[in-house]
Amino acid sequence: MGPYDRGATCTGRRGFELSSGLLRLYHSFGMDTSRKANLEYLEDSPEAVIAYAAGNALVILFVPSMKRKYVFGIDRTGVGSFAVHPTRKSFTVGEKGRDPKLCVYEYPSLDLIKILRNGAVRSFACMSYSSGGGKLATVSGSPDFMLSIWDWNKEQMLLQSKAFGQEVYSVKFSPVNDGRLTTAGTGHIRFWKMASTFTGLKLQGDIGKFGKVARSSPNMIEICLLNP
């Protein structure tokens, strides 16, 4: 599916909200330095182009000229997280707000090409692509904290599981096996695998142990495999 008409996919404003056409953005000042993983390269040649979230927009900055483009998403409710595809030919923006969407944009056209739904209740906290770019992993923020694995090109959720009971700041696929990944956040790290069970493919997660552990610990071996 796609590309999409952004206006046609908007959920519409509520009674107390102003129309998005009433005001026009003049400039976005600064960036959110408290946000995790809030700076990504889109191009490094012939000129450096970077992306970062600021306010309710994803900012595309052309470094030599300092010119900017802004991506507001469908509902203009803010940016929770974003990730750039390994080919740098597209990127995904996870929105904030009521039933936020994952919006995939083609680069450099900025056409909206895919929309992924039902991955979060209020926001997306972090996300990343597999090394080959075929899968996308996302973790939602409070109150649900759900880990979801997507076939983004088909706009299809493959697997979903509770990531943790507190904030998760990072999710990463293994660089050598996209059936394994890690999540980490407040006081924890968790190692995941996509395992075949009697009822089908499931996400299974093991909590990492902190403190003094034997060198032969499976958790230590897993860290080496996932993060060489």
Side-chain angles (χ1 to χ4, degrees):
M1 297 179 68
Y4 288 89
D5 180 344
R6 297 190 200 185
T9 55
C10 180
T11 57
R13 63 186 178 94
R14 287 164 285 183
F16 58 87
E17 294 177 332
L18 294 174
S19 169
S20 61
L22 186 63
L23 299 174
R24 181 174 64 88
L25 177 68
Y26 173 73
H27 185 76
S28 177
F29 294 90
M31 65 177 294
D32 186 354
T33 56
S34 65
R35 188 190 298 262
K36 307 292 189 296
N38 192 29
L39 190 66
E40 293 276 1
Y41 260 108
L42 280 171
E43 287 186 58
D44 52 19
S45 177
E47 66 173 342
V49 182
I50 59 176
Y52 59 91
N56 281 357
L58 184 75
V59 182
I60 312 296
L61 174 64
F62 300 82
V63 177
S65 63
M66 297 303 289
K67 291 183 178 179
R68 293 169 172 82
K69 292 184 178 180
Y70 302 98
V71 177
F72 287 100
I74 297 173
D75 295 327
R76 294 176 176 253
T77 51
V79 176
S81 181
F82 74 98
V84 176
H85 192 271
T87 64
R88 299 184 184 176
K89 293 182 179 179
S90 65
F91 58 87
T92 298
V93 177
E95 298 184 327
K96 294 192 296 186
R98 182 181 55 188
D99 298 323
K101 302 175 184 66
L102 291 162
C103 302
V104 184
Y105 297 90
E106 188 178 60
Y107 182 79
S109 69
L110 302 185
D111 287 337
L112 177 61
I113 56 173
K114 305 290 179 183
I115 301 175
L116 313 179
R117 296 176 169 86
N118 302 318
V121 173
R122 298 296 301 174
S123 68
F124 289 95
C126 54
M127 64 181 70
S128 71
Y129 284 95
S130 59
S131 58
K135 293 185 178 71
L136 176 69
T138 64
V139 179
S140 59
S142 179
D144 46 328
F145 307 114
M146 298 297 291
L147 168 64
S148 305
I149 310 298
W150 307 82
D151 182 335
W152 65 271
N153 199 44
K154 294 181 179 179
E155 300 178 310
Q156 179 182 357
M157 183 188 292
L158 302 176
L159 295 167
Q160 190 175 62
S161 179
K162 184 80 170 184
F164 201 62
Q166 299 180 53
E167 294 291 343
V168 178
Y169 303 134
S170 174
V171 57
K172 295 289 182 184
F173 280 95
S174 163
V176 296
N177 182 352
D178 63 9
R180 291 180 177 265
L181 60 160
T182 61
T183 56
T186 303
H188 83 283
I189 183 169
R190 197 164 199 170
F191 305 99
W192 298 87
K193 63 180 179 181
M194 303 176 203
S196 296
T197 68
F198 291 111
T199 57
L201 198 63
K202 302 289 185 182
L203 274 171
Q204 295 179 348
D206 294 318
I207 292 289
K209 295 180 181 179
F210 291 88
K212 294 181 179 180
V213 294
R215 289 191 177 184
S216 60
S217 165
N219 289 315
M220 295 300 292
I221 295 171
E222 193 106 39
I223 291 172
C224 295
L225 288 173
L226 290 174
N227 300 288

